[in-house]
Each structure stands twice: as C-alpha cells, then as structure tokens.
Amino acid sequence: MAERFKAQPAAGVPALQIAGLNVFYGRSHALQGVDLTLQSGVLSVVGRNGMGKTTMCKAIMGLVPIASGSIRFFGEEIAGRTPAEIARLGVGYVPQGRRLWRSLTVDEHLRLVQRGKRGAWTPERIYEAFPRLAERRNNGGAQLSGGEQQMLAISRALLLNPRLLIMDEPTEGLAPVIVAHVEEMLVRLADQGDVAILVIEQNIGVATQMSDPVAIMVNGRINRVIASATLAGDRDLQQRLLGVGRHGHDETDAAGAGGAPGTRTPAVTAAPPQAAGPTRVYVSNPTIPTRWSQPVPAARIEAQARTISRPTLATLNGRAVGEVRPLAAAAAGGEPYVVVAGTLDTKGEELRFIRDLIRAEGLRTRLVDLSTSGRSAGGDVTPQEIALAHPRGSAGISSGDRGTAVAAMTEAFKAWLPRQEGVLGVISAGGSGATAMVTPAMQALAVGLPKLMISTMASGDVRAYVGAADIAMLNAVTDVQGINQVSRLVLGNGARAMAAMAKARLAESRREGPRRRDPAEKPLVGLTMFGVTTPCVQQVAKLLEAEWEPLVFHATGTGGRSMEKLVDSGLVGAVIDVSTTEICDMMMGGILPATEDRFGAIIRTRIPYVGSVGALDMVNFAAPETVPERYRGRKTYPHNPQITLMRTTPEENARMGRWIGERLNQMDGPVRFLIPELGVSALDAQGQPFHDPAADSALFQALEQTVRATTSRQLIRLPLHINDPAFAAALVQHFRALHAGRRPGRSASA
C-alpha cells in the first residue's frame, strides 16, 4: 500500500511536474504530449470545453489510463498508480460538479472522509475555516446552496491533508459573490504554504486573479504559459484561444513553437488575418454535456462542423465590435436619462409599463435588456452590448447554461453601468434572479444617485442586495408577472417615485456652476459606534460638533461598509473608527460581520485615520440556541432575547490583532490607533461579565508586534477604559492634530 513520503521532498522540487503526457479515448487523442509544471502556490489552467482539461485532472488522479508520459508529485512518479494510492500520497481532488452524497449531512460527509487526526485538517478546523458549514452541519448535501456545496467538496478533499489539491471548475454555476469567496479562500490556502493548488477554470477573471502565470490549453496541449496581466488585458488573444465558435485547429503554436515545454512565452497581440472565403465553424460539444460526458471524438466534431460564407465573430448588429461606448453618447442631444433595466424576455411588459410612466413625467429613459436567453427583446441597449463589458466578452453569457449565463450577465452589467454618463437614476423589477442580477450594479454606483428595486425579495432579508448602498427596495406584493390591478399600483408607485427622485437630481445638476459649500456647513466625520461603546462616541461627537458634522454608523456589519463607501465616494474625508467590532464576527462566524475589505477605503484614499479597538471583546449571535456547537461552553451574555454575545479568547484576540495590524501597515496616510488598556467595551470593564485582562493583553501585544510603527503610523496605549471621558478627549486631540489645516469639505457632487 502506498504511503506518504517517508522524508520531506527536497527544497525546490516542483509539487507537480507533467512531461509528454498522452491519453487516448479509443482512437481519439485527448491529451497530446502535455508538459506542465506547478512549483508551488496556485496555477490556473484555462481553455474551451473539450480541450482536455478534465482529462488531465483524471490522468493525474489515475482515473484514466495514460498511453505514455510522466507525472511526478514532488519528484515521485505517480503515473500508473491507482487513485487510492495517489490520494494516500497526498493528492486531493475536487471534481467538476462537486459530487456530494445527497442524503448525508455536512457532518456525516466530513466524519466519513476523516481517518484519524494525523494531519492538520480536522472537521473542527474545517468548521473554523468555513463557519457557514458549521451552521449547516445537520443539512443534507441536497439542501445546500451551490456555494455551500463547493465549500463542502473542498473540505472533503482537505480532510485528506493533501500536499496538492486539484480543482476542476470550482466556480462553475456560482453567484459572483460566492465566486469571489471561493477565489479568496483558495489563494489563502496556497499562501499558508501547506498545499499547492492546480485550478481548472473557464472564467478568465477568476483564473488571472488566482495565479500568475496562467496556462492555456488548446487541443489537448498546453499552448502557452502566459503572464496573468497579459492575458487579462488582451481581448484578441482571449478570443482566439478561448472564444466560442471556432475550433482549436484554427490556432497554431506559432507563439510557443521552439520554446521549452512549460516556459512562459510572449502573448501574440495581433489576430491572424481572416480568410476571405468560406469559414468552417466547429463546436466542441455537439450535444449538451453533462458532468459524466466523455470528450467528443475529433472525427465527430469534424463531421458536424458547418460552413459559413462570412465571419460573424467581430460584429454586433452589423458594426465592428470595439470598446463599450457610453450610453449617454447615444442619447439624443446628450440629455440625462433614467435607466430601466431587467430581463425583457420574461418581464418586458412590466418594465415597459415602468418606462412609459417615467416618460409621462417628462424624463428620458433607456431600456436595458439583461436577458440571458440569447435573443434580444427590443430594448434600447441589447444583452450583447452589455456582454461586451464582461472580462471574457460574451462567451459566458452565451454558454447555454442558465446559471453561468446569469452570473456572467451580473458581472457584465456591474462593469457596464458605472461607465455610463448622464444617468439620473436606475430602476428595475423582478424576482430573485433579476434582483440578484441588477443590485450588484446598483451597489457600484455613488451614494445619492437614485436606485430603486421592485422585488418579490423585498419583504425578507435584503442585506445581500442592498449592501452598503442607498438602494430603495419596494415589495412587489405579488409576483412580477404581468400587469394586473395590484401590480399596476405597485409598479406605478415605484415608477413615479423614481421620476420624482430623478427630477430632483436633474434640477440639482442644472444649477449654474458647481455646487459650493455653504460657509456655515460643517465638514463630515464618520464615527463607528456599538451599544457598548456609545458613551465614548457620544463624547467624541459632542467635542467635535462645533467644527464637524458627525455621521454615526452602527457597527452591525453594514455600518462599517457604509462609512467606507462614503469615504470611497469622497463624501466623507475624516473618520474616528472607535468600534471595529465587526471584525470579531467576520473572523469568528458571528451574525454582524465586516468583509475582508474592512479598512480598504482608508487604504485606497489615504485619508488620515484615527481608530481604536471598540467592542473587540465580543462576537454576536442570535438567540442562545443559535450559538454554534463548537462554541458551546464559552462565556456568553444575553444582550437581549434576540442577541447573544460571546466573549473572545486570548487566541482569537491575538488573531484579530495581527489582522488589524496588517491593514494598518497598508495605510499610507497618517495613522493614530489608540488602545484603552482598562477595557474595550462596557462589558469589559472591571467587575463586568467580559472583564478579561489576559484576553485584552493578547490583543494589544499582537497589535504591537504586527504594526510597523513610524512617525506617521503610531500605536498609542492609554491607562484608560474606552468609555472614560479622557479617552474620548484623546481621540479628538489626535484627530485634530492630523486634520490641522486640512479640513475637508463635502464633495461638490454631493
């Protein structure tokens, strides 16, 4: 029986080295002399369907026989071994389609796979790394969302404690927000150094974000290994190597011929000239594939190819495809307009009803079609034009798979909408699909621009749709399906509300000259507050109110994001970030979490930063019975019947201190981070339930050990409690020192 390495591999030995690999399916030559090296970290392999990517994964795992070639895992030959032997050596595999057991719970999946506790990965560590799985531990595989299923599939492979993880299409069919989470998680795993990762992807944006360089597979060969930035920025190269509609035989190895196998080659920047005569069009999957499909023989692809008399790939409605032009350029006279966006193939009647009402109020409109059915339904802006804003062009939107197409259209519209000029507002109507498709683009717009979503999802938890943006959600009451007595009232109210907001914005924009700040108008300062830091924030606001206008943000997950969105928008140029508690929930799985971009706006804008450790002693959960099993027995406090607080431990505080310290190090603007040594919240004072000097000390020490102190970046320890008046005075003192002579005013566009 194969065993793990008896000795650690020598330094510098590649995690995976493939040389001259050939695989046949009958007479079909699927892999044709593949050469590929993964030294460490993450390597992405991209290519069209039918190019041999999945076959390469199966060959590495011993699931298909190889005709010739070598596959070395940390220098040890694994070609010819059984899948079980390869897995025991330390190669994990996450297949395309996840392939979970529908009837087994999350916990049963993990316990079934685990064999002892010889390695670093255990079910307990899995639950810590994926808090969402901990919450779903008693749910069956069929009861999980696509993102949760992918987390479980990855966890199942990690429990074997692999040195190499092979992932086939890990983001297929996932929503963009879940794609970003999976992408971040894989990079984090590789950065920890415990595992190298080979990722098979069709999403160029994901592939180029996860690894540098990227390998491109064409017709069963590694065509080239190219710098990620080069591939991401070369739309022509993407079309020739990865586009839909032409077979890979059209692409030669001219760019890579003569180069050593696996070496990086310069990208070809000019497309080969198009033939003037008839063109053969090949389809690599003549029938709709399933997860069990085998690669289609080349003879069948050749037999089913069709001939066209002129090329169609580079045109859109008869004109050459170029850069996405701003929609305002198409508006008559450049007049501002309201965007009415949605899927016209299914909601056309309702969206046109909204458009007509807005027009009746004397406003221009543009009807934007986000249909993914492959046909245009008569909008002012077609789905094909929106698709051009996607990093991969229209390939994902025209894939034929609804989940993939919706995710691609969501990403394309999010990239397209902020580029447009003259937009007075954005309105949409639909169910869960349309809401998930349109609201990410709305979130990308500046605060103050009217945004209205009429949705059947508006009566539930809308955090995922609204985020930190000022999106108005209107409950559709009935399903958005036709015009009737109820929908006429609801859609009419939404349309007229949008018209009123757009008119107000239009009137503001037509004022003579740029908006000037009233001399009596104070500049804005953002403050973060939690219930247990209220006295501190109230005292800070009182000390500043004569000179500044305080904006207080409740640190409930969206509070910090809202403040930072205003910083990014230029509306807020000063902050006193007293309550950074959302980081606790983000790292420990609470219900009011920040995102990984916490402090991101401060880093990007380089504004002066004054912050503290307010309420970093607690994690928020709902009612007591909702506290995860892994936390049972921990010190908790019932804040109210709906909120249960859990005290953080020294180890958790040290992790938070390091995380915050790393973000402070990335800030180029002046930083003053104040530490209250006698407690970080009302519950952390002496004699209170969460008083734990050892836990606080771990937080403070981790910050001191991580932060690179300079004259502009300072940690300041004070022998005070966070709610002491003297601590509030110290925050204000340092804030005034940083902003002396540089008080910002509101943006002129506010």
Side-chain angles (χ1 to χ4, degrees):
M1 181 178 288
E3 299 178 354
R4 286 182 177 269
F5 302 118
K6 297 178 181 177
Q8 286 294 321
V13 175
L16 176 67
Q17 190 167 25
I18 302 173
L21 184 62
N22 289 278
V23 172
F24 288 82
Y25 291 111
R27 298 176 61 184
S28 177
H29 197 174
L31 295 185
Q32 305 176 21
V34 169
D35 294 293
L36 186 67
T37 299
L38 168 57
Q39 194 72 32
S40 61
V42 183
L43 176 63
S44 299
V45 179
V46 298
R48 286 175 285 189
N49 288 336
M51 294 296 103
K53 305 185 302 297
T54 296
T55 297
M56 181 175 67
C57 295
K58 292 180 177 179
I60 296 170
M61 292 303 304
L63 295 170
V64 295
I66 70 171
S68 62
S70 170
I71 306 173
R72 291 186 174 274
F73 172 55
F74 284 105
E76 182 168 343
E77 183 63 56
I78 61 174
R81 296 185 183 237
T82 67
E85 290 174 329
I86 293 171
R88 280 194 287 267
L89 279 173
V91 183
Y93 183 37
V94 181
Q96 185 178 14
R98 298 144 200 156
R99 301 193 184 182
L100 303 176
W101 292 290
R102 295 174 57 85
S103 60
L104 295 187
T105 67
V106 169
D107 202 59
E108 288 169 342
H109 272 87
L110 302 183
R111 302 293 173 187
L112 181 64
V113 173
Q114 185 195 27
R115 302 199 328 269
K117 296 186 178 181
R118 295 178 298 168
W121 285 98
T122 64
E124 290 71 27
R125 184 180 175 189
I126 290 293
Y127 287 140
E128 183 177 348
F130 304 104
R132 190 69 175 172
L133 292 185
E135 298 172 8
R136 298 289 188 269
R137 62 187 305 156
N138 295 321
N139 287 37
Q143 297 173 312
L144 303 178
S145 68
E148 291 164 351
Q149 290 181 7
Q150 192 61 270
M151 292 178 196
L152 182 54
I154 295 170
S155 300
R156 186 174 57 183
L158 289 175
L159 277 179
L160 298 177
N161 293 286
R163 296 288 306 282
L164 171 65
L165 186 60
I166 299 171
M167 306 197 64
D168 193 358
E169 301 282 3
T171 65
E172 180 184 33
L174 302 184
V177 65
I178 303 298
V179 169
H181 179 71
V182 171
E183 174 187 322
E184 174 192 352
M185 173 194 58
L186 294 179
V187 172
R188 187 170 67 246
L189 284 175
D191 286 344
Q192 292 172 354
D194 298 333
V195 60
I197 303 176
L198 180 69
V199 178
I200 307 301
E201 257 300 341
Q202 290 201 55
N203 186 322
I204 293 179
V206 172
T208 54
Q209 284 292 323
M210 282 197 295
S211 80
D212 188 18
V214 173
I216 300 176
M217 201 164 197
V218 177
N219 289 333
R221 302 184 183 93
I222 298 299
N223 178 277
R224 66 192 71 189
V225 179
I226 186 172
S228 296
T230 302
L231 177 60
D234 194 334
R235 193 68 65 87
D236 176 70
L237 182 64
Q238 294 173 21
Q239 180 62 52
R240 288 191 295 109
L241 294 178
L242 306 169
V244 174
R246 292 170 57 196
H247 191 258
H249 289 135
D250 292 342
E251 169 62 30
T252 68
D253 257 349
T263 57
R264 192 183 303 183
T265 55
V268 177
T269 57
Q274 294 284 344
T279 302
R280 293 279 283 170
V281 177
Y282 299 85
V283 180
S284 58
N285 288 311
T287 58
I288 298 176
T290 69
R291 67 180 67 174
W292 300 280
S293 298
Q294 297 295 326
V296 180
R300 183 180 173 193
I301 294 174
E302 181 69 36
Q304 296 192 11
R306 60 191 177 90
T307 301
I308 58 175
S309 59
R310 57 184 177 84
T312 60
L313 291 176
T315 61
L316 173 64
N317 296 336
R319 71 175 190 275
V321 172
E323 290 296 319
V324 180
R325 58 187 174 85
L327 184 59
E335 285 290 321
Y337 54 91
V338 174
V339 170
V340 182
T343 52
L344 293 182
D345 57 347
T346 59
K347 310 296 181 189
E349 183 182 7
E350 298 87 337
L351 293 168
R352 290 184 175 90
F353 177 76
I354 292 171
R355 177 202 61 187
D356 293 344
L357 287 177
I358 295 175
R359 282 183 176 177
E361 296 293 329
L363 293 166
R364 293 182 180 274
T365 62
R366 282 295 179 270
L367 192 59
V368 179
D369 188 5
L370 303 179
S371 304
T372 57
S373 58
R375 61 183 185 276
S376 177
D380 300 317
V381 183
T382 66
Q384 292 78 15
E385 189 163 349
I386 299 297
L388 295 176
H390 193 281
R392 293 190 295 123
S394 61
I397 294 170
S398 59
S399 65
D401 177 78
R402 184 180 184 277
T404 301
V406 168
M409 183 62 82
T410 302
E411 187 175 355
F413 188 51
K414 182 179 178 181
W416 179 88
L417 184 59
R419 300 180 189 176
Q420 309 312 307
E421 300 173 358
V423 177
L424 291 172
V426 183
I427 185 171
S428 182
S432 60
T435 307
M437 188 184 297
V438 174
T439 52
M442 290 182 173
Q443 291 181 34
L445 299 175
V447 172
L449 181 72
K451 316 165 190 71
L452 178 58
M453 184 72 219
I454 306 172
S455 172
T456 57
M457 306 302 290
S459 63
D461 184 353
V462 298
R463 287 179 296 178
Y465 305 124
V466 175
D470 56 337
I471 298 173
M473 299 287 289
L474 179 61
N475 184 21
V477 183
T478 63
D479 198 359
V480 182
Q481 189 61 48
I483 301 299
N484 52 55
Q485 295 181 39
V486 175
S487 66
R488 185 178 290 107
L489 294 174
V490 175
L491 297 178
N493 284 340
R496 294 182 183 96
M498 172 53 64
M501 290 187 286
K503 284 181 177 180
R505 189 167 181 86
L506 181 60
E508 179 77 16
S509 68
R510 286 177 172 172
R511 289 182 182 176
E512 293 184 6
R515 180 184 183 275
R516 296 181 180 179
R517 185 167 62 90
D518 189 320
E521 193 175 73
K522 304 169 191 173
L524 301 175
V525 55
L527 309 175
T528 51
M529 184 174 78
F530 211 45
V532 290
T533 61
T534 297
C536 175
V537 177
Q538 287 179 336
Q539 293 170 74
V540 168
K542 187 174 182 179
L543 291 171
L544 288 174
E545 62 185 1
E547 312 159 63
W548 298 78
E549 183 177 345
L551 298 180
V552 179
F553 297 87
H554 196 188
T556 56
T558 57
R561 276 185 283 164
S562 297
M563 182 183 74
E564 294 203 42
K565 184 174 181 64
L566 292 175
V567 171
D568 268 330
S569 300
L571 297 174
V572 170
V575 299
I576 301 181
D577 198 1
V578 177
S579 309
T580 46
T581 182
E582 295 160 321
I583 295 166
C584 293
D585 286 40
M586 178 188 72
M587 298 184 72
M588 265 58 79
I591 61 173
L592 306 176
T595 68
E596 288 287 340
D597 193 45
R598 187 67 166 90
F599 307 121
I602 312 299
I603 295 169
R604 288 186 289 272
T605 59
R606 303 180 180 180
I607 67 170
Y609 178 76
V610 177
S612 190
V613 289
L616 284 180
D617 58 330
M618 58 186 64
V619 183
N620 294 267
F621 296 105
E625 62 271 15
T626 67
V627 176
E629 183 67 30
R630 68 184 184 279
Y631 291 139
R632 296 297 163 87
R634 291 277 295 273
K635 183 183 294 185
T636 59
Y637 179 82
H639 182 63
N640 59 47
Q642 287 76 41
I643 297 292
T644 303
L645 307 177
M646 181 185 75
R647 185 38 162 121
T648 51
T649 65
E651 184 276 331
E652 291 167 345
N653 279 10
R655 281 198 289 131
M656 288 190 291
R658 290 189 291 271
W659 192 92
I660 294 172
E662 290 169 357
R663 269 62 183 179
L664 296 179
N665 288 337
Q666 296 175 39
M667 296 181 186
D668 292 331
V671 174
R672 300 293 184 268
F673 200 78
L674 278 62
I675 296 176
E677 295 177 332
L678 300 186
V680 301
S681 82
L683 293 180
D684 188 29
Q686 188 169 4
Q688 295 301 314
F690 283 0
H691 183 60
D692 189 344
D696 290 345
S697 178
L699 171 65
F700 305 156
Q701 289 178 11
L703 279 164
E704 288 186 321
Q705 293 168 0
T706 306
V707 173
R708 296 191 297 272
T710 66
T711 55
S712 65
R713 183 187 302 116
Q714 297 179 21
L715 283 179
I716 301 161
R717 295 185 64 150
L718 298 171
L720 300 168
H721 185 271
I722 195 166
N723 288 328
D724 288 344
F727 188 77
L731 287 167
V732 172
Q733 176 188 349
H734 287 285
F735 174 81
R736 285 175 171 154
L738 293 186
H739 287 275
R742 54 184 297 172
R743 280 177 34 181
R746 281 180 175 166
S747 169
S749 62

